[in-house]
Amino acid sequence: MYAKLSHGIFIMLIAFVSTAQAQHLHRKGSLGIDYVEAPDSLLNALKIEEAHCIWVKSVHPESTAAQLGIRPDDILVAINETDSLYLFDFHNLEQQLKENDPISITYLRKNRKTRAVGIVKPAPRENSAGEVFYDEVPYQRGYLRTIVHRPSNIDKAPAVFYIQDFDCGSIDFSKDSLSPTKQLVDGWVKAGYAVVRVEKPGVGESAGTKDCARLDYQEELAAFQNAFRFTQKLPFVDSSKVFIFGHSIGGTAVPIVALKARLKPRGVMVYGTVVKPWFEHMLDVFRKQPLLYKESLLPSDVNARMMTPLLYEWLVQGRSATDLLSVPDFEAILTSKENPLGYRRGTFWGRSAGYFADLNRVNLLQTWAQANVPTLAIHGEFDSQAISPEAAQQIAQIVNESLPNKGTYKLLRNADHFMARVNSFTEYKQLQQKGKYKDFASHNFNAAIIEMTVNWMQQQ
């Protein structure tokens, strides 16, 4: 009995040292208020001289603002040294706050100006069915934030390393606990799996790295490789039972991480990914994707023909955004109101031109054949970003050719690209057009993917 007890304490101490030793990354701070920009009518009615202020709508309990005595309906006129609070600038100031930073806020209440001074409290952490650790992993000259969920009452747990899509958004869901991704993580934790995610360079609390928007594909890949090694070394993880899950373009990194890992993953899973060259997939986006939404064939063909030269020069020839803009026909497309490639200030959908050209050069079919690892490839029935089940089916096929009976294809019924439950491609598109998709997805997560992935992992 005493031997078992001391062993349990030893495991807990190792886990504590691993995650609680001095970190290079600081937790983000939070004011803990809901707010809007104070309208001119309110400022005039209160005879406030400041031109731009913030109107506090609510204050979260035990937050920085609550600690400073801020109340609903207070008017914030200055924060630290900034005394002209445009909404956009105020939001940026709030994003820059760090735990334990000194802070001063000047506010108006009943025409009386007060300055409150205090210390910034940390932003909320994710909740979990188990424990949550905010750790870090080295990358280049900086560090990346890792978010680790550990199931309760398991000394050595199997684990899933999650690789997200291409965008540069944070994967910290402390303010979005109903995100489909967070619900998937929660499902795995409840099933007894530790789950590890990593913020991309320049995202969230990661620091000392290039900005995500400037990274190429190989640089991002290196971040995931570092985080996978981190996952395998966690003291409460069974390193022989670590799986990788890749969502969308994150799925393209999965076979590469598996192939280059010193210790192979037990198995890998992908959802909504691609396997053909990115140039060919983008042609499908313009030629085939509109047909899923029951749009006319002829306009789709016209658009695909118009986009092909630009896509070729960008993705195959590797021309920069500056070079592309020097071609009048390409400039007209990139600066059009429709903006079909999400172009803005040298980026495409928030990523560098080189990122996608780099991805296009990767021979994904060959990489899957070489990875030589048990694989579950899932396609959502109404996934219009993946367009068809072809990629998932081909991944399973190529795996089986090199590792017989180890490649599995599964269709997730009534699921879109983001794992929400929908009944058709058109339902998904209409929800997006009406601005209702995010709320819909939060309350319509297709939980069948939890059972599908857990059952498969348990069989490996």
Side-chain angles (χ1 to χ4, degrees), residues 269-297:
M269 304 168 285
V270 291
Y271 181 82
T273 194
V274 297
V275 75
K276 61 176 59 174
W278 189 246
F279 168 67
E280 295 181 23
H281 178 73
M282 286 304 301
L283 292 179
D284 288 346
V285 167
F286 289 99
R287 188 179 299 279
K288 297 180 178 180
Q289 189 183 75
L291 305 182
L292 300 178
Y293 303 133
K294 302 187 183 304
E295 296 178 14
S296 177
L297 176 61

PDB file of all heavy atoms in Angstrom, residues 269-297:
ATOM      1  N   MET A 269      -4.712  10.051 -37.311  1.00  0.00           N
ATOM      2  CA  MET A 269      -6.071  10.283 -37.791  1.00  0.00           C
ATOM      3  C   MET A 269      -6.114  11.634 -38.489  1.00  0.00           C
ATOM      4  O   MET A 269      -5.469  12.580 -38.044  1.00  0.00           O
ATOM      5  CB  MET A 269      -7.065  10.274 -36.611  1.00  0.00           C
ATOM      6  CG  MET A 269      -7.033   8.998 -35.777  1.00  0.00           C
ATOM      7  SD  MET A 269      -7.953   9.167 -34.210  1.00  0.00           S
ATOM      8  CE  MET A 269      -6.816  10.187 -33.243  1.00  0.00           C
ATOM      9  N   VAL A 270      -6.890  11.711 -39.564  1.00  0.00           N
ATOM     10  CA  VAL A 270      -7.075  12.980 -40.251  1.00  0.00           C
ATOM     11  C   VAL A 270      -8.545  13.178 -40.557  1.00  0.00           C
ATOM     12  O   VAL A 270      -9.300  12.220 -40.748  1.00  0.00           O
ATOM     13  CB  VAL A 270      -6.253  13.061 -41.564  1.00  0.00           C
ATOM     14  CG1 VAL A 270      -4.775  13.127 -41.268  1.00  0.00           C
ATOM     15  CG2 VAL A 270      -6.573  11.892 -42.488  1.00  0.00           C
ATOM     16  N   TYR A 271      -8.941  14.448 -40.601  1.00  0.00           N
ATOM     17  CA  TYR A 271     -10.332  14.797 -40.922  1.00  0.00           C
ATOM     18  C   TYR A 271     -10.341  15.998 -41.863  1.00  0.00           C
ATOM     19  O   TYR A 271      -9.718  17.025 -41.585  1.00  0.00           O
ATOM     20  CB  TYR A 271     -11.119  15.143 -39.658  1.00  0.00           C
ATOM     21  CG  TYR A 271     -12.567  15.496 -39.938  1.00  0.00           C
ATOM     22  CD1 TYR A 271     -13.518  14.488 -40.116  1.00  0.00           C
ATOM     23  CD2 TYR A 271     -12.979  16.820 -40.056  1.00  0.00           C
ATOM     24  CE1 TYR A 271     -14.842  14.804 -40.399  1.00  0.00           C
ATOM     25  CE2 TYR A 271     -14.304  17.140 -40.339  1.00  0.00           C
ATOM     26  CZ  TYR A 271     -15.223  16.127 -40.508  1.00  0.00           C
ATOM     27  OH  TYR A 271     -16.541  16.427 -40.799  1.00  0.00           O
ATOM     28  N   GLY A 272     -11.044  15.857 -42.984  1.00  0.00           N
ATOM     29  CA  GLY A 272     -11.227  16.974 -43.904  1.00  0.00           C
ATOM     30  C   GLY A 272      -9.946  17.468 -44.539  1.00  0.00           C
ATOM     31  O   GLY A 272      -9.809  18.660 -44.804  1.00  0.00           O
ATOM     32  N   THR A 273      -9.007  16.578 -44.832  1.00  0.00           N
ATOM     33  CA  THR A 273      -7.719  17.004 -45.360  1.00  0.00           C
ATOM     34  C   THR A 273      -7.656  16.809 -46.866  1.00  0.00           C
ATOM     35  O   THR A 273      -8.631  16.398 -47.506  1.00  0.00           O
ATOM     36  CB  THR A 273      -6.572  16.261 -44.658  1.00  0.00           C
ATOM     37  OG1 THR A 273      -5.329  16.921 -44.941  1.00  0.00           O
ATOM     38  CG2 THR A 273      -6.498  14.796 -45.087  1.00  0.00           C
ATOM     39  N   VAL A 274      -6.494  17.113 -47.438  1.00  0.00           N
ATOM     40  CA  VAL A 274      -6.266  16.951 -48.874  1.00  0.00           C
ATOM     41  C   VAL A 274      -5.071  16.032 -49.079  1.00  0.00           C
ATOM     42  O   VAL A 274      -4.243  15.862 -48.183  1.00  0.00           O
ATOM     43  CB  VAL A 274      -6.008  18.299 -49.577  1.00  0.00           C
ATOM     44  CG1 VAL A 274      -7.213  19.207 -49.463  1.00  0.00           C
ATOM     45  CG2 VAL A 274      -4.772  18.983 -49.001  1.00  0.00           C
ATOM     46  N   VAL A 275      -4.970  15.488 -50.291  1.00  0.00           N
ATOM     47  CA  VAL A 275      -3.822  14.642 -50.608  1.00  0.00           C
ATOM     48  C   VAL A 275      -3.247  14.987 -51.974  1.00  0.00           C
ATOM     49  O   VAL A 275      -2.080  14.717 -52.241  1.00  0.00           O
ATOM     50  CB  VAL A 275      -4.200  13.138 -50.512  1.00  0.00           C
ATOM     51  CG1 VAL A 275      -5.045  12.706 -51.699  1.00  0.00           C
ATOM     52  CG2 VAL A 275      -2.967  12.265 -50.371  1.00  0.00           C
ATOM     53  N   LYS A 276      -4.038  15.595 -52.835  1.00  0.00           N
ATOM     54  CA  LYS A 276      -3.526  16.015 -54.137  1.00  0.00           C
ATOM     55  C   LYS A 276      -2.745  17.307 -53.986  1.00  0.00           C
ATOM     56  O   LYS A 276      -2.864  18.000 -52.954  1.00  0.00           O
ATOM     57  CB  LYS A 276      -4.660  16.192 -55.146  1.00  0.00           C
ATOM     58  CG  LYS A 276      -5.682  17.252 -54.778  1.00  0.00           C
ATOM     59  CD  LYS A 276      -6.731  17.452 -55.868  1.00  0.00           C
ATOM     60  CE  LYS A 276      -7.502  16.201 -56.195  1.00  0.00           C
ATOM     61  NZ  LYS A 276      -8.617  16.442 -57.164  1.00  0.00           N
ATOM     62  N   PRO A 277      -1.914  17.686 -54.964  1.00  0.00           N
ATOM     63  CA  PRO A 277      -1.196  18.961 -54.871  1.00  0.00           C
ATOM     64  C   PRO A 277      -2.178  20.120 -54.646  1.00  0.00           C
ATOM     65  O   PRO A 277      -3.284  20.119 -55.171  1.00  0.00           O
ATOM     66  CB  PRO A 277      -0.501  19.070 -56.233  1.00  0.00           C
ATOM     67  CG  PRO A 277      -0.325  17.655 -56.673  1.00  0.00           C
ATOM     68  CD  PRO A 277      -1.542  16.924 -56.172  1.00  0.00           C
ATOM     69  N   TRP A 278      -1.743  21.120 -53.876  1.00  0.00           N
ATOM     70  CA  TRP A 278      -2.626  22.217 -53.504  1.00  0.00           C
ATOM     71  C   TRP A 278      -3.134  22.972 -54.728  1.00  0.00           C
ATOM     72  O   TRP A 278      -4.261  23.458 -54.739  1.00  0.00           O
ATOM     73  CB  TRP A 278      -1.915  23.149 -52.534  1.00  0.00           C
ATOM     74  CG  TRP A 278      -2.814  24.179 -51.938  1.00  0.00           C
ATOM     75  CD1 TRP A 278      -2.762  25.527 -52.129  1.00  0.00           C
ATOM     76  CD2 TRP A 278      -3.922  23.959 -51.057  1.00  0.00           C
ATOM     77  NE1 TRP A 278      -3.759  26.162 -51.422  1.00  0.00           N
ATOM     78  CE2 TRP A 278      -4.490  25.211 -50.746  1.00  0.00           C
ATOM     79  CE3 TRP A 278      -4.479  22.819 -50.487  1.00  0.00           C
ATOM     80  CZ2 TRP A 278      -5.588  25.356 -49.912  1.00  0.00           C
ATOM     81  CZ3 TRP A 278      -5.576  22.955 -49.644  1.00  0.00           C
ATOM     82  CH2 TRP A 278      -6.123  24.211 -49.378  1.00  0.00           C
ATOM     83  N   PHE A 279      -2.325  23.072 -55.756  1.00  0.00           N
ATOM     84  CA  PHE A 279      -2.757  23.714 -56.994  1.00  0.00           C
ATOM     85  C   PHE A 279      -3.974  22.998 -57.567  1.00  0.00           C
ATOM     86  O   PHE A 279      -4.966  23.628 -57.967  1.00  0.00           O
ATOM     87  CB  PHE A 279      -1.601  23.712 -58.009  1.00  0.00           C
ATOM     88  CG  PHE A 279      -2.009  24.089 -59.407  1.00  0.00           C
ATOM     89  CD1 PHE A 279      -2.437  25.378 -59.704  1.00  0.00           C
ATOM     90  CD2 PHE A 279      -1.961  23.153 -60.435  1.00  0.00           C
ATOM     91  CE1 PHE A 279      -2.815  25.726 -61.003  1.00  0.00           C
ATOM     92  CE2 PHE A 279      -2.335  23.484 -61.731  1.00  0.00           C
ATOM     93  CZ  PHE A 279      -2.758  24.778 -62.008  1.00  0.00           C
ATOM     94  N   GLU A 280      -3.925  21.673 -57.603  1.00  0.00           N
ATOM     95  CA  GLU A 280      -5.050  20.897 -58.143  1.00  0.00           C
ATOM     96  C   GLU A 280      -6.279  21.020 -57.248  1.00  0.00           C
ATOM     97  O   GLU A 280      -7.421  21.090 -57.731  1.00  0.00           O
ATOM     98  CB  GLU A 280      -4.651  19.433 -58.303  1.00  0.00           C
ATOM     99  CG  GLU A 280      -3.552  19.216 -59.332  1.00  0.00           C
ATOM    100  CD  GLU A 280      -3.187  17.742 -59.481  1.00  0.00           C
ATOM    101  OE1 GLU A 280      -4.033  16.877 -59.155  1.00  0.00           O
ATOM    102  OE2 GLU A 280      -2.051  17.458 -59.913  1.00  0.00           O
ATOM    103  N   HIS A 281      -6.046  21.056 -55.940  1.00  0.00           N
ATOM    104  CA  HIS A 281      -7.184  21.217 -55.030  1.00  0.00           C
ATOM    105  C   HIS A 281      -7.846  22.578 -55.231  1.00  0.00           C
ATOM    106  O   HIS A 281      -9.079  22.678 -55.218  1.00  0.00           O
ATOM    107  CB  HIS A 281      -6.734  21.077 -53.579  1.00  0.00           C
ATOM    108  CG  HIS A 281      -7.850  21.274 -52.589  1.00  0.00           C
ATOM    109  ND1 HIS A 281      -8.853  20.354 -52.384  1.00  0.00           N
ATOM    110  CD2 HIS A 281      -8.144  22.333 -51.769  1.00  0.00           C
ATOM    111  CE1 HIS A 281      -9.708  20.803 -51.486  1.00  0.00           C
ATOM    112  NE2 HIS A 281      -9.305  21.998 -51.094  1.00  0.00           N
ATOM    113  N   MET A 282      -7.047  23.614 -55.429  1.00  0.00           N
ATOM    114  CA  MET A 282      -7.620  24.943 -55.627  1.00  0.00           C
ATOM    115  C   MET A 282      -8.417  25.025 -56.929  1.00  0.00           C
ATOM    116  O   MET A 282      -9.422  25.740 -57.005  1.00  0.00           O
ATOM    117  CB  MET A 282      -6.515  25.999 -55.612  1.00  0.00           C
ATOM    118  CG  MET A 282      -5.949  26.289 -54.225  1.00  0.00           C
ATOM    119  SD  MET A 282      -7.222  26.794 -53.030  1.00  0.00           S
ATOM    120  CE  MET A 282      -7.883  28.240 -53.824  1.00  0.00           C
ATOM    121  N   LEU A 283      -8.010  24.303 -57.943  1.00  0.00           N
ATOM    122  CA  LEU A 283      -8.814  24.237 -59.163  1.00  0.00           C
ATOM    123  C   LEU A 283     -10.180  23.630 -58.852  1.00  0.00           C
ATOM    124  O   LEU A 283     -11.211  24.081 -59.365  1.00  0.00           O
ATOM    125  CB  LEU A 283      -8.097  23.414 -60.235  1.00  0.00           C
ATOM    126  CG  LEU A 283      -6.816  24.022 -60.823  1.00  0.00           C
ATOM    127  CD1 LEU A 283      -6.211  23.074 -61.849  1.00  0.00           C
ATOM    128  CD2 LEU A 283      -7.086  25.385 -61.455  1.00  0.00           C
ATOM    129  N   ASP A 284     -10.193  22.603 -58.004  1.00  0.00           N
ATOM    130  CA  ASP A 284     -11.465  21.991 -57.599  1.00  0.00           C
ATOM    131  C   ASP A 284     -12.324  22.968 -56.807  1.00  0.00           C
ATOM    132  O   ASP A 284     -13.558  22.944 -56.903  1.00  0.00           O
ATOM    133  CB  ASP A 284     -11.205  20.741 -56.750  1.00  0.00           C
ATOM    134  CG  ASP A 284     -10.661  19.579 -57.559  1.00  0.00           C
ATOM    135  OD1 ASP A 284     -10.722  19.640 -58.796  1.00  0.00           O
ATOM    136  OD2 ASP A 284     -10.169  18.610 -56.940  1.00  0.00           O
ATOM    137  N   VAL A 285     -11.685  23.823 -56.006  1.00  0.00           N
ATOM    138  CA  VAL A 285     -12.426  24.804 -55.215  1.00  0.00           C
ATOM    139  C   VAL A 285     -13.250  25.715 -56.125  1.00  0.00           C
ATOM    140  O   VAL A 285     -14.399  26.046 -55.824  1.00  0.00           O
ATOM    141  CB  VAL A 285     -11.471  25.639 -54.339  1.00  0.00           C
ATOM    142  CG1 VAL A 285     -12.174  26.867 -53.761  1.00  0.00           C
ATOM    143  CG2 VAL A 285     -10.906  24.778 -53.214  1.00  0.00           C
ATOM    144  N   PHE A 286     -12.678  26.081 -57.254  1.00  0.00           N
ATOM    145  CA  PHE A 286     -13.395  26.986 -58.160  1.00  0.00           C
ATOM    146  C   PHE A 286     -14.288  26.251 -59.162  1.00  0.00           C
ATOM    147  O   PHE A 286     -15.287  26.805 -59.613  1.00  0.00           O
ATOM    148  CB  PHE A 286     -12.390  27.877 -58.899  1.00  0.00           C
ATOM    149  CG  PHE A 286     -11.768  28.907 -57.997  1.00  0.00           C
ATOM    150  CD1 PHE A 286     -10.514  28.691 -57.445  1.00  0.00           C
ATOM    151  CD2 PHE A 286     -12.452  30.059 -57.665  1.00  0.00           C
ATOM    152  CE1 PHE A 286      -9.939  29.626 -56.594  1.00  0.00           C
ATOM    153  CE2 PHE A 286     -11.890  31.008 -56.814  1.00  0.00           C
ATOM    154  CZ  PHE A 286     -10.636  30.782 -56.278  1.00  0.00           C
ATOM    155  N   ARG A 287     -13.942  25.014 -59.477  1.00  0.00           N
ATOM    156  CA  ARG A 287     -14.724  24.296 -60.489  1.00  0.00           C
ATOM    157  C   ARG A 287     -15.795  23.384 -59.867  1.00  0.00           C
ATOM    158  O   ARG A 287     -16.912  23.283 -60.368  1.00  0.00           O
ATOM    159  CB  ARG A 287     -13.799  23.461 -61.374  1.00  0.00           C
ATOM    160  CG  ARG A 287     -14.511  22.833 -62.581  1.00  0.00           C
ATOM    161  CD  ARG A 287     -13.548  22.042 -63.439  1.00  0.00           C
ATOM    162  NE  ARG A 287     -12.480  22.859 -63.981  1.00  0.00           N
ATOM    163  CZ  ARG A 287     -12.597  23.637 -65.050  1.00  0.00           C
ATOM    164  NH1 ARG A 287     -13.745  23.708 -65.701  1.00  0.00           N
ATOM    165  NH2 ARG A 287     -11.578  24.352 -65.477  1.00  0.00           N
ATOM    166  N   LYS A 288     -15.462  22.719 -58.764  1.00  0.00           N
ATOM    167  CA  LYS A 288     -16.350  21.699 -58.213  1.00  0.00           C
ATOM    168  C   LYS A 288     -17.128  22.156 -56.972  1.00  0.00           C
ATOM    169  O   LYS A 288     -18.273  21.760 -56.774  1.00  0.00           O
ATOM    170  CB  LYS A 288     -15.559  20.430 -57.871  1.00  0.00           C
ATOM    171  CG  LYS A 288     -14.928  19.757 -59.079  1.00  0.00           C
ATOM    172  CD  LYS A 288     -14.165  18.497 -58.667  1.00  0.00           C
ATOM    173  CE  LYS A 288     -13.560  17.789 -59.869  1.00  0.00           C
ATOM    174  NZ  LYS A 288     -12.821  16.558 -59.472  1.00  0.00           N
ATOM    175  N   GLN A 289     -16.474  22.948 -56.117  1.00  0.00           N
ATOM    176  CA  GLN A 289     -17.133  23.334 -54.870  1.00  0.00           C
ATOM    177  C   GLN A 289     -18.457  24.056 -55.088  1.00  0.00           C
ATOM    178  O   GLN A 289     -19.449  23.754 -54.405  1.00  0.00           O
ATOM    179  CB  GLN A 289     -16.193  24.188 -54.020  1.00  0.00           C
ATOM    180  CG  GLN A 289     -16.708  24.458 -52.616  1.00  0.00           C
ATOM    181  CD  GLN A 289     -15.768  25.373 -51.849  1.00  0.00           C
ATOM    182  OE1 GLN A 289     -15.726  26.575 -52.093  1.00  0.00           O
ATOM    183  NE2 GLN A 289     -14.989  24.793 -50.937  1.00  0.00           N
ATOM    184  N   PRO A 290     -18.556  24.995 -56.056  1.00  0.00           N
ATOM    185  CA  PRO A 290     -19.844  25.678 -56.263  1.00  0.00           C
ATOM    186  C   PRO A 290     -20.983  24.725 -56.606  1.00  0.00           C
ATOM    187  O   PRO A 290     -22.142  24.996 -56.271  1.00  0.00           O
ATOM    188  CB  PRO A 290     -19.558  26.640 -57.425  1.00  0.00           C
ATOM    189  CG  PRO A 290     -18.088  26.878 -57.366  1.00  0.00           C
ATOM    190  CD  PRO A 290     -17.504  25.575 -56.924  1.00  0.00           C
ATOM    191  N   LEU A 291     -20.653  23.619 -57.250  1.00  0.00           N
ATOM    192  CA  LEU A 291     -21.693  22.664 -57.639  1.00  0.00           C
ATOM    193  C   LEU A 291     -22.306  21.980 -56.415  1.00  0.00           C
ATOM    194  O   LEU A 291     -23.458  21.553 -56.457  1.00  0.00           O
ATOM    195  CB  LEU A 291     -21.126  21.622 -58.603  1.00  0.00           C
ATOM    196  CG  LEU A 291     -20.435  22.184 -59.864  1.00  0.00           C
ATOM    197  CD1 LEU A 291     -19.968  21.045 -60.768  1.00  0.00           C
ATOM    198  CD2 LEU A 291     -21.364  23.129 -60.609  1.00  0.00           C
ATOM    199  N   LEU A 292     -21.532  21.894 -55.332  1.00  0.00           N
ATOM    200  CA  LEU A 292     -22.058  21.297 -54.098  1.00  0.00           C
ATOM    201  C   LEU A 292     -23.176  22.152 -53.526  1.00  0.00           C
ATOM    202  O   LEU A 292     -24.076  21.649 -52.848  1.00  0.00           O
ATOM    203  CB  LEU A 292     -20.942  21.144 -53.060  1.00  0.00           C
ATOM    204  CG  LEU A 292     -19.752  20.270 -53.455  1.00  0.00           C
ATOM    205  CD1 LEU A 292     -18.708  20.268 -52.344  1.00  0.00           C
ATOM    206  CD2 LEU A 292     -20.192  18.846 -53.760  1.00  0.00           C
ATOM    207  N   TYR A 293     -23.096  23.463 -53.815  1.00  0.00           N
ATOM    208  CA  TYR A 293     -24.119  24.391 -53.334  1.00  0.00           C
ATOM    209  C   TYR A 293     -25.218  24.605 -54.366  1.00  0.00           C
ATOM    210  O   TYR A 293     -25.994  25.552 -54.261  1.00  0.00           O
ATOM    211  CB  TYR A 293     -23.470  25.738 -53.007  1.00  0.00           C
ATOM    212  CG  TYR A 293     -22.343  25.671 -52.009  1.00  0.00           C
ATOM    213  CD1 TYR A 293     -21.132  26.333 -52.245  1.00  0.00           C
ATOM    214  CD2 TYR A 293     -22.464  24.947 -50.828  1.00  0.00           C
ATOM    215  CE1 TYR A 293     -20.090  26.294 -51.335  1.00  0.00           C
ATOM    216  CE2 TYR A 293     -21.426  24.892 -49.914  1.00  0.00           C
ATOM    217  CZ  TYR A 293     -20.242  25.563 -50.169  1.00  0.00           C
ATOM    218  OH  TYR A 293     -19.211  25.504 -49.262  1.00  0.00           O
ATOM    219  N   LYS A 294     -25.232  23.708 -55.368  1.00  0.00           N
ATOM    220  CA  LYS A 294     -26.259  23.735 -56.426  1.00  0.00           C
ATOM    221  C   LYS A 294     -26.183  24.997 -57.280  1.00  0.00           C
ATOM    222  O   LYS A 294     -27.202  25.519 -57.755  1.00  0.00           O
ATOM    223  CB  LYS A 294     -27.661  23.560 -55.824  1.00  0.00           C
ATOM    224  CG  LYS A 294     -27.833  22.265 -55.026  1.00  0.00           C
ATOM    225  CD  LYS A 294     -29.262  22.050 -54.594  1.00  0.00           C
ATOM    226  CE  LYS A 294     -29.413  20.789 -53.744  1.00  0.00           C
ATOM    227  NZ  LYS A 294     -28.930  19.574 -54.403  1.00  0.00           N
ATOM    228  N   GLU A 295     -24.973  25.524 -57.451  1.00  0.00           N
ATOM    229  CA  GLU A 295     -24.780  26.663 -58.335  1.00  0.00           C
ATOM    230  C   GLU A 295     -24.606  26.184 -59.772  1.00  0.00           C
ATOM    231  O   GLU A 295     -24.307  25.014 -60.026  1.00  0.00           O
ATOM    232  CB  GLU A 295     -23.573  27.485 -57.872  1.00  0.00           C
ATOM    233  CG  GLU A 295     -23.788  28.112 -56.492  1.00  0.00           C
ATOM    234  CD  GLU A 295     -22.585  28.892 -56.005  1.00  0.00           C
ATOM    235  OE1 GLU A 295     -21.692  29.178 -56.833  1.00  0.00           O
ATOM    236  OE2 GLU A 295     -22.542  29.212 -54.797  1.00  0.00           O
ATOM    237  N   SER A 296     -24.751  27.084 -60.704  1.00  0.00           N
ATOM    238  CA  SER A 296     -24.721  26.746 -62.123  1.00  0.00           C
ATOM    239  C   SER A 296     -23.326  26.297 -62.567  1.00  0.00           C
ATOM    240  O   SER A 296     -22.308  26.822 -62.104  1.00  0.00           O
ATOM    241  CB  SER A 296     -25.173  27.939 -62.958  1.00  0.00           C
ATOM    242  OG  SER A 296     -25.092  27.656 -64.327  1.00  0.00           O
ATOM    243  N   LEU A 297     -23.292  25.359 -63.488  1.00  0.00           N
ATOM    244  CA  LEU A 297     -22.031  24.808 -63.980  1.00  0.00           C
ATOM    245  C   LEU A 297     -21.231  25.820 -64.786  1.00  0.00           C
ATOM    246  O   LEU A 297     -20.007  25.938 -64.626  1.00  0.00           O
ATOM    247  CB  LEU A 297     -22.314  23.567 -64.835  1.00  0.00           C
ATOM    248  CG  LEU A 297     -21.108  22.907 -65.508  1.00  0.00           C
ATOM    249  CD1 LEU A 297     -20.107  22.431 -64.462  1.00  0.00           C
ATOM    250  CD2 LEU A 297     -21.569  21.726 -66.372  1.00  0.00           C
TER     251      LEU A 297
END
